[in-house]
Amino acid sequence: MLRDYPAELGTVPLPVSMVTTGAPDLTAANLRLVDIASPGGRDIYVHYAGRNGCRLTVGIHAEAPVLPHETLSLMVHSWSALGEHFSMVAEGMDLNKFEAIRVLLESWSTPAGPDDTTVLALQDATTSAVPCQTA
């Protein structure tokens, strides 16, 4: 599910809203949109890359997804909202940063959407996060 994408060090990611609509903006987490894939069916995978090799894939699914098991370096989370199923998978990411992204994405999948406090919490978690550990 996770793909390798080049992420240029020192570049500021473009806000997703400037690239496409509908995909969550994760620039507060130093992640930039690098690909949107739909391998068939009704599943959509939104791939993000960031500094230090950080990668995150967010899935939007018609049915509850079958996801890989968590490991020491692979973090996995899924939830349902408004009749849709969502997933997120990250490798080597700081746990607090992953949790802050989870809160943002879960709020993004509701009609109210994320509030400023959620975005600020994500920025704080990102600032204090240790760099991603990728193999």
Side-chain angles (χ1 to χ4, degrees):
M1 209 177 310
L2 290 170
R3 295 182 181 176
D4 286 322
Y5 293 97
E8 297 175 20
L9 295 175
T11 60
V12 177
L14 288 175
V16 170
S17 59
M18 293 176 64
V19 180
T20 186
T21 58
D25 183 350
L26 297 180
T27 54
N30 289 333
L31 295 171
R32 67 181 176 94
L33 177 69
V34 291
D35 191 20
I36 297 176
S38 182
R42 295 182 3 213
D43 291 350
I44 298 170
Y45 296 95
V46 183
H47 301 281
Y48 297 88
R51 299 181 186 123
N52 302 312
C54 283
R55 295 180 297 148
L56 174 75
T57 296
V58 177
I60 305 165
H61 315 277
E63 304 290 331
V66 176
L67 298 170
H69 294 289
E70 285 193 15
T71 65
L72 289 175
S73 66
L74 189 69
M75 288 168 261
V76 179
H77 179 70
S78 65
W79 71 99
S80 298
L82 304 174
E84 297 285 340
H85 304 278
F86 301 89
S87 64
M88 57 186 278
V89 178
E91 188 171 17
M93 187 176 286
D94 179 271
L95 180 59
N96 289 331
K97 181 177 176 177
F98 182 83
E99 287 299 313
I101 294 170
R102 177 194 62 77
V103 170
L104 179 82
L105 291 178
E106 284 186 2
S107 65
W108 168 79
S109 65
T110 66
D115 59 21
D116 291 342
T117 305
T118 304
V119 175
L120 288 173
L122 176 58
Q123 289 173 332
D124 288 344
T126 299
T127 300
S128 63
V130 297
C132 287
Q133 305 295 316
T134 57

